[in-house]
Amino acid sequence: MVSNPSYNESKAVAAEQTTAIVLRTIEFSETSLIVTLLTRDFGRVSAIAKGARRPKSTFEGSLDLLAVCRVVLIRKSTDALDLLTEAKLHRRFRAAERSLDRVYAGYYIAEMLRLLTDDHDPHPDLYDLAINALAQIDGDGNVALAMLGFDIQALRLLGHSPELRRCTDCGDVVARESRMVFALLGGGVVCHRCRAKQNQTVSMRLESIDHLERLQSANVSLPIEVKPQVYGELRAVISRYIQTIVGTMPRMQRFLPTRLTTGD
Ligand SMILES: [Zn+2]
């Protein structure tokens, strides 16, 4: 384990090890980077990697966007940035060798993980989901399905799964009709009586509702299966619902596939 002498005088706690996905790096000084990581054990973490910008740095390659690495962190008290003392590369994100769609999909995952998580709030299951989604994108998985599956399961793991049975306003069981109304702010379907009160709604076919219900169950893992005629509507509803939850349109959302093609 590496220790950094210059940090000994401050209130550093013991070094901790975990695995991490690199979500973003920002140049901090001539020689250092600030790295945003999703760690498996500590959630999202922002840390300084001293010397990471030097040629022949020990971090070389391991802090590239979406790299998966074994890291050693020194957690700082209060508001100070953590210190990243070691990062050993496990897997590089290599979608750039394949297609731009796969690169954008990776950027989307990095952005979503930054938007949906808080510092030091661990979600090991979300971390594992992201690793699976990246493996799909970086391998031969269908990009559209990997992204939709990631979104729907990430929403479930963070407690945001849409309610598809009961009215999100009055709580009554909603009649299952060929078209149903999904309230974005309420996060689910609404009954006839409550429809007029909702500000932002989208219409969904029952087939899409049924698909979504199946895809957001806890025993679903990637890759998922979706009928091509359902994909477009599901993708649109999930994207708008995510905008409502995070309060903004994720920058990379516009690059998500709007249609499901099997030859991807
Ligand atoms: Zn109602």
Side-chain angles (χ1 to χ4, degrees):
M1 212 171 284
V2 177
S3 68
N4 188 323
S6 67
Y7 263 70
N8 284 350
E9 69 269 21
S10 60
K11 286 182 187 166
V13 293
E16 296 173 301
Q17 291 195 44
T18 183
T19 51
I21 305 169
V22 178
L23 302 184
R24 177 161 68 183
T25 57
I26 299 171
E27 294 178 2
F28 178 64
S29 68
E30 247 165 61
T31 56
S32 301
L33 289 175
I34 293 179
V35 189
T36 305
L37 304 167
L38 183 73
T39 67
R40 191 170 193 282
D41 297 306
F42 316 120
R44 194 183 66 192
V45 166
S46 290
I48 299 181
K50 291 194 161 193
R53 300 190 62 208
R54 285 202 188 100
K56 293 183 185 169
S57 142
T58 55
F59 294 109
E60 198 173 2
S62 57
L63 298 182
D64 293 345
L65 187 66
L66 294 169
V68 178
C69 41
R70 182 93 200 150
V71 297
V72 177
L73 287 160
I74 295 176
R75 294 271 293 272
K76 303 301 296 296
S77 53
T78 65
D79 294 334
L81 285 167
D82 293 349
L83 182 66
L84 181 69
T85 59
E86 236 180 285
K88 188 163 178 282
L89 183 67
H90 275 197
R91 208 178 71 201
R92 205 184 297 278
F93 183 63
R94 290 189 295 204
E97 298 162 17
R98 302 284 304 282
S99 74
L100 204 52
D101 281 354
R102 291 180 187 275
V103 173
Y104 287 161
Y107 292 174
Y108 175 76
I109 287 185
E111 183 181 19
M112 287 294 287
L113 292 172
R114 288 202 320 266
L115 288 172
L116 289 171
T117 60
D118 295 314
D119 283 345
H120 303 304
D121 179 20
H123 284 285
D125 38 14
L126 179 65
Y127 176 90
D128 294 343
L129 174 69
I131 291 286
N132 287 339
L134 288 173
Q136 292 285 312
I137 297 166
D138 222 354
D140 295 320
N142 181 288
V143 171
L145 291 179
M147 296 298 88
L148 185 63
F150 169 79
D151 280 343
I152 291 172
Q153 284 294 316
L155 290 173
R156 177 181 71 80
L157 294 170
L158 296 167
H160 291 299
S161 278
E163 168 59 50
L164 302 174
R165 294 279 170 142
R166 289 184 174 274
C167 174
T168 51
D169 199 323
C170 71
D172 283 357
V173 174
V174 178
R176 292 166 66 75
E177 297 167 295
S178 60
R179 281 208 162 267
M180 296 172 76
V181 172
F182 186 99
L184 293 164
L185 291 169
V189 293
V190 280
C191 74
H192 277 278
R193 271 182 295 123
C194 298
R195 279 176 196 183
K197 286 186 274 173
Q198 311 304 317
N199 276 329
Q200 297 179 53
T201 59
V202 283
S203 170
M204 279 182 84
R205 286 180 294 144
L206 182 58
E207 191 181 18
S208 303
I209 299 263
D210 287 342
H211 255 66
L212 180 53
E213 186 159 49
R214 180 172 57 77
L215 294 172
Q216 68 184 15
S217 82
N219 55 20
V220 166
S221 57
L222 304 184
I224 59 166
E225 284 179 28
V226 176
K227 286 187 190 169
Q229 64 267 32
V230 172
Y231 172 83
E233 186 172 271
L234 266 190
R235 181 66 268 172
V237 171
I238 292 297
S239 289
R240 286 198 60 192
Y241 179 49
I242 285 170
Q243 291 170 22
T244 309
I245 289 173
V246 301
T248 181
M249 178 172 164
R251 275 179 53 231
M252 297 307 298
Q253 197 181 72
R254 75 194 65 188
F255 297 104
L256 293 172
T258 51
R259 286 185 307 132
L260 177 60
T261 50
T262 45
D264 189 11

